[in-house]
Amino acid sequence: MNNIGYMFIFFPILFGVIGLFYIAIGIKGVIQKKPFLMPYRWMIGMIFLCFLPSLFNSFFFSSGHSFDAIRLLNPLMIICLFAFMIIFRPGYMAFGITDSAIREALHSVLKKKNLAFEETIGSIKLTSVQAELQVSIQGWMGTGQIRIKPLNQSKLLIETVKDINTYFQENDTKTNLTACIFYIVMAVFMLVFSVCFYSLGFSVKADMNNEIAWKYVEENQNLDEALKLVDKAIAYKPDWHYLDTKAEIFYKMKKYQDAVNIESDLVKRYPNEQTLQDQLKKFKEGVNQSSQFQQ
């Protein structure tokens, strides 16, 4: 299988996985109607999958005329981007959130844990453990991020987030499901695109099979293989070009009557195609010449 063939298998699976991830997030929020937090690394992983097609193109569809350093520039930039995201964006991402909901949850959880804190704009200083919770909320979308400084306090962050999710499940809080609904819509588009792209792969493969078969016909070699290839193309899409190729193969194999049968049917269906009429005339001449030779 060539690179194009792999692309029409790899890309649909990739987009399908991303679509399922997004739809799972959206449905979770819409069904539960409660805010929730999830590890930000999961989102980084999905973003990385979104960049994989670009990496695929860099390595498998290179023109071959560029320097290796230039060819590696795109993947190196992507690696640097994700290194930055992993280093500077650890923590958790919130969905269905509002400013008041996250504030109430944090206050409740920190008080229950007996952690003294001082609230400032965008952060909560945990004075008793010399740590700081950095909170960023995009209220209009219903999303947010929570991380902790220093990073060696990650265990405290994990425990705090677990308690916040429990708080959301046990209490009625105000929600904003805009992002969840957007994720569902985006996921549907990605899943539809995945199916369409996979289907397009069959169409492209059929065209490629027909082209290879026609090349064999022109070279008058590998006719049995050419027949197998064009039959596969016809099985997916009985395009008249493919059927004409099959008729030409039969003609080259001296199966003139089989060629005439196919081409006669095509001429009936497409009477305005002069090429088909010329082909039929040629095939009938082959039948006549064969009959005369046998006599």
Side-chain angles (χ1 to χ4, degrees), residues 1 3-20 49 52-53 56 187 189-202:
M1 185 181 295
N3 292 338
I4 294 178
Y6 283 118
M7 179 182 72
F8 283 105
I9 295 175
F10 173 68
F11 283 14
I13 294 175
L14 178 64
F15 294 131
V17 169
I18 297 171
L20 290 174
L49 291 182
L52 277 184
F56 187 92
F189 276 112
M190 294 195 74
L191 292 174
V192 170
F193 177 79
S194 177
V195 172
C196 292
F197 199 82
Y198 186 72
S199 178
L200 178 62
F202 283 104

Side-chain angles (χ1 to χ4, degrees), residues 272-287:
N272 297 325
E273 288 290 342
Q274 185 62 42
T275 301
L276 298 178
Q277 296 180 21
D278 294 340
Q279 285 281 82
L280 179 59
K281 181 180 178 181
K282 181 178 73 172
F283 298 158
K284 286 182 176 179
E285 289 175 355
V287 171

Side-chain angles (χ1 to χ4, degrees), residues 30-239:
V30 170
I31 291 179
Q32 293 185 350
K33 293 183 173 59
K34 291 179 179 293
F36 63 93
L37 286 81
M38 53 170 269
Y40 192 79
R41 62 178 180 272
W42 293 4
M43 188 60 63
I44 294 177
M46 287 301 106
I47 296 173
F48 178 75
L49 291 182
C50 291
F51 277 93
L52 277 184
S54 177
L55 292 175
F56 187 92
N57 290 336
S58 297
F59 286 107
F60 294 102
F61 291 96
S62 175
S63 63
H65 300 293
S66 57
F67 296 103
D68 288 341
I70 297 177
R71 184 180 177 185
L72 292 174
L73 182 60
N74 184 49
L76 286 174
M77 291 177 63
I78 293 175
I79 291 173
C80 290
L81 171 64
F82 281 95
F84 176 83
M85 293 177 68
I86 292 171
I87 294 172
F88 294 100
R89 298 298 302 176
Y92 288 78
M93 190 166 185
F95 292 92
I97 207 76
T98 62
D99 291 323
S100 59
I102 191 64
R103 184 178 295 108
E104 292 169 3
L106 278 169
H107 287 185
S108 175
V109 168
L110 294 177
K111 289 177 181 178
K112 187 177 294 186
K113 295 171 102 36
N114 295 318
L115 290 173
F117 61 90
E118 295 177 359
E119 188 172 4
T120 61
I121 297 177
S123 67
I124 296 178
K125 293 182 179 181
L126 307 178
T127 55
S128 58
V129 293
Q130 299 300 310
E132 180 180 337
L133 287 174
Q134 296 181 328
V135 184
S136 175
I137 303 297
Q138 294 79 48
W140 64 281
M141 279 291 290
T143 60
Q145 297 85 37
I146 298 178
R147 54 178 298 196
I148 196 168
K149 290 177 62 179
L151 295 179
N152 58 16
Q153 292 285 359
S154 57
K155 184 177 180 181
L156 175 59
L157 178 62
I158 293 172
E159 295 173 352
T160 302
V161 168
K162 182 179 178 180
D163 292 339
I164 291 174
N165 277 328
T166 300
Y167 176 89
F168 286 143
Q169 291 297 318
E170 296 177 350
N171 296 272
D172 292 329
T173 56
K174 187 177 180 180
T175 59
N176 182 349
L177 300 175
T178 303
C180 293
I181 295 171
F182 173 76
Y183 271 46
I184 292 175
V185 173
M186 185 169 60
V188 170
F189 276 112
M190 294 195 74
L191 292 174
V192 170
F193 177 79
S194 177
V195 172
C196 292
F197 199 82
Y198 186 72
S199 178
L200 178 62
F202 283 104
S203 180
V204 172
K205 184 66 175 178
D207 287 341
M208 293 174 61
N209 284 349
N210 183 65
E211 290 177 7
I212 296 172
W214 187 257
K215 182 179 179 181
Y216 287 152
V217 168
E218 291 179 330
E219 297 173 352
N220 198 22
Q221 64 179 7
N222 299 328
L223 296 179
D224 289 335
E225 178 65 20
L227 187 59
K228 292 179 182 178
L229 289 171
V230 79
D231 279 339
K232 289 180 181 179
I234 293 171
Y236 174 73
K237 183 174 63 175
D239 186 278

